[in-house]
Amino acid sequence: PVTRAEFARLLQTPFERPKTRQALKFTDVAPNYWATSAINEAVQTGFMSGYPKGIFQPDQQIPLYQLQIALATGLGLSAAAQPESVLANYRDARALPKWASPKVAAAIEAGIVKPNTQTLTPNQVATRADAAALIYQALAKAGKVKQR
């Protein structure tokens, strides 16, 4: 499994995105935490954000839908169609939080998410392999690597 801090670190190198937001001080991320700079950069470049009450939960295992949202948000993707119509093909789309649907739909439309033909498994804990595959597809979308 990959944690939120580990995913922030994975986002640090491949994308050359400008810092458009201020870093946030999270109550659960100490200044000397190993991933503080990666978390700050993920927030400043728009890929990730924290939870209410100023927490980041860096050691929380991250579900697949949060990886998809992070990439869609950081790359500025939005769904061209109604999210419901994009997600209607997947049996488990209702497992997505309603607020997450537009960004997950955008990631699907952009080809970043290559789901099983009938399921998204949005709440499945993401692995490093999942994170690497999604980052690769996002880099392909950005024209930085060959599309697979």
Side-chain angles (χ1 to χ4, degrees), residues 40-90:
N40 287 340
E41 188 170 328
V43 169
Q44 290 173 313
T45 56
F47 282 98
M48 297 181 81
S49 57
Y51 290 102
K53 300 183 181 177
I55 61 172
F56 188 80
Q57 296 186 0
D59 298 320
Q60 174 189 356
Q61 293 178 346
I62 189 168
L64 279 172
Y65 82 88
Q66 285 187 16
L67 299 185
Q68 297 159 357
I69 290 169
L71 290 168
T73 302
L75 295 174
L77 303 177
S78 57
Q82 291 296 320
E84 299 80 24
S85 64
V86 174
L87 298 172
N89 300 324
Y90 306 101

Side-chain angles (χ1 to χ4, degrees), residues 100-121:
S101 296
K103 289 296 181 181
V104 172
I108 291 169
E109 285 185 324
I112 292 171
V113 176
K114 303 277 189 185
N116 163 315
T117 57
Q118 297 178 340
T119 60
L120 293 168
T121 61

